[in-house]
Amino acid sequence: MNFKIVDSKFRELLLPTLLIVMALNISSVFDTFFVGSFLGENAVAAMSLLEPIILLITVFEWFFGLGGQIIALNKKANFDTDGSNRYFTVSILLSFLASSIMAIVCLIFTEPVAMILGSTPLTKPFVIQYFPFLCGCFVVSTLAGVLTQFIRVDSQPKFAAMLIILANLVNIILDYVFLSLGMGMASASLASFIGYAIALAFCLWYVYNPKRTFRFVRCALAIKTFFKTAGKIIKVGFPAASLGFFQVVFFYMLNIFLVNSLGDIGLTTYMICVDALVISSVVTVGVFETLTSIVPIYYAKHDYLNLNHLIKSQ
């Protein structure tokens, strides 16, 4: 059997997806480097303590974005345009609601959350300073991340990659500028917020692009329809999100252990090691996210020959 079409589609999506994952990971490394260079080792330790909260953004993206994307692609493959648009609409709305609630909770209970994360007298000021703009980041980065997932599978993978690269490039540049000007720990999260706010603004171009195939529909806002659709999105997105949630719990428990056994220096050392490991995961995560964009289409068509080929070739 000729597998040229499925191989071509995989290659088309793989490079932009790898660029997205690479941009995210490199940005994380630069964040740690600049914070450590300008603010010292205690600030890096604070970044490690904040990692479980930052990872929740990825959990939301997988929960609502990936779950909605998989079902929307499945509906589209079956020529169910209304169903595809309904899942797209609810996916974006769920992402907004969940990230907004998380942001409000963290903003109101900043000090208790800082203590729960394991802050010490040396790291607590840095954690608290980082929180205000991080709360804004919850909303803009989650929405930008979910929208770019849909843009990527809507025949615009290069545009999606460009948006994420732009967000992280702005973050890296502003990190250096703000920290070199002595603006403190808050400026590190401000740089991320500005970067993803710009990316989200460009996402609006997609929303108003007449060539797009995913559209917002009012019928998805009916209470019964919304909760039924949301339930299916959460069910499909749970397997991927559960992996992210495990990472959140793992980081949190390890941070607590390091604080109590090695102190802040242990957190600093571990954060540097994590950055090295994160870079090595680029290919694995890129292939995973590429497959999730293709598999639902062939599964909906019961095309198990192409599915089997995809699995074996990876």
Side-chain angles (χ1 to χ4, degrees), residues 49 57 89 104 118 140 174 187 197 222 225 231-232 259 265 281 305 308:
L49 292 173
I57 295 174
T89 303
I104 292 170
V140 295
L174 292 183
S187 67
T225 302
K232 290 183 179 179
V259 168
I265 189 63
S281 68
L305 285 175
N308 189 48

Side-chain angles (χ1 to χ4, degrees), residues 64-267:
F64 310 122
L66 187 60
Q69 176 201 126
I70 289 173
I71 306 177
L73 285 174
N74 190 290
K75 294 291 183 182
K76 185 189 287 189
N78 286 314
F79 303 101
D80 183 0
T81 303
D82 291 338
S84 177
N85 289 335
R86 186 174 72 251
Y87 280 98
F88 167 70
T89 303
V90 174
S91 178
I92 300 302
L93 187 55
L94 277 176
S95 301
F96 173 73
L97 292 174
S99 59
S100 296
I101 291 171
M102 186 67 194
I104 292 170
V105 169
C106 287
L107 194 60
I108 294 174
F109 302 103
T110 298
E111 289 209 22
V113 172
M115 295 305 297
I116 291 171
L117 290 174
S119 300
T120 65
L122 293 176
T123 56
K124 185 178 177 181
F126 292 109
V127 172
I128 291 176
Q129 290 170 32
Y130 196 88
F131 255 112
F133 292 111
L134 175 61
C135 293
C137 248
F138 276 126
V139 181
V140 295
S141 61
T142 300
L143 286 175
V146 173
L147 276 168
T148 51
Q149 285 189 42
F150 280 98
I151 293 171
R152 183 169 56 89
V153 297
D154 198 11
S155 301
Q156 299 182 65
K158 293 180 181 178
F159 179 60
M162 184 201 75
L163 291 178
I164 298 301
I165 292 171
L166 174 65
N168 286 279
L169 184 61
V170 170
N171 176 27
I172 291 171
I173 293 172
L174 292 183
D175 258 346
Y176 176 78
V177 172
F178 291 161
L179 289 169
S180 64
L181 291 174
M183 293 175 63
M185 189 70 167
S187 67
S189 56
L190 174 60
S192 298
F193 174 77
I194 293 174
Y196 278 96
I198 292 173
L200 183 58
F202 276 102
C203 284
L204 296 179
W205 177 87
Y206 167 78
V207 172
Y208 290 102
N209 183 1
K211 294 183 180 180
R212 73 191 188 282
T213 61
F214 293 113
R215 300 177 183 276
F216 291 106
V217 290
R218 289 187 178 181
C219 64
L221 303 181
I223 296 177
K224 185 176 180 180
T225 302
F226 176 81
F227 281 105
K228 184 178 179 180
T229 305
K232 290 183 179 179
I233 288 174
I234 292 171
K235 182 179 179 181
V236 173
F238 178 77
S242 63
L243 175 62
F245 186 71
F246 170 78
Q247 290 180 313
V248 171
V249 175
F250 174 77
F251 265 98
Y252 174 72
M253 297 301 294
L254 189 58
N255 281 344
I256 297 300
F257 171 76
L258 290 172
V259 168
N260 291 321
S261 59
L262 300 176
D264 294 336
I265 189 63
L267 289 173

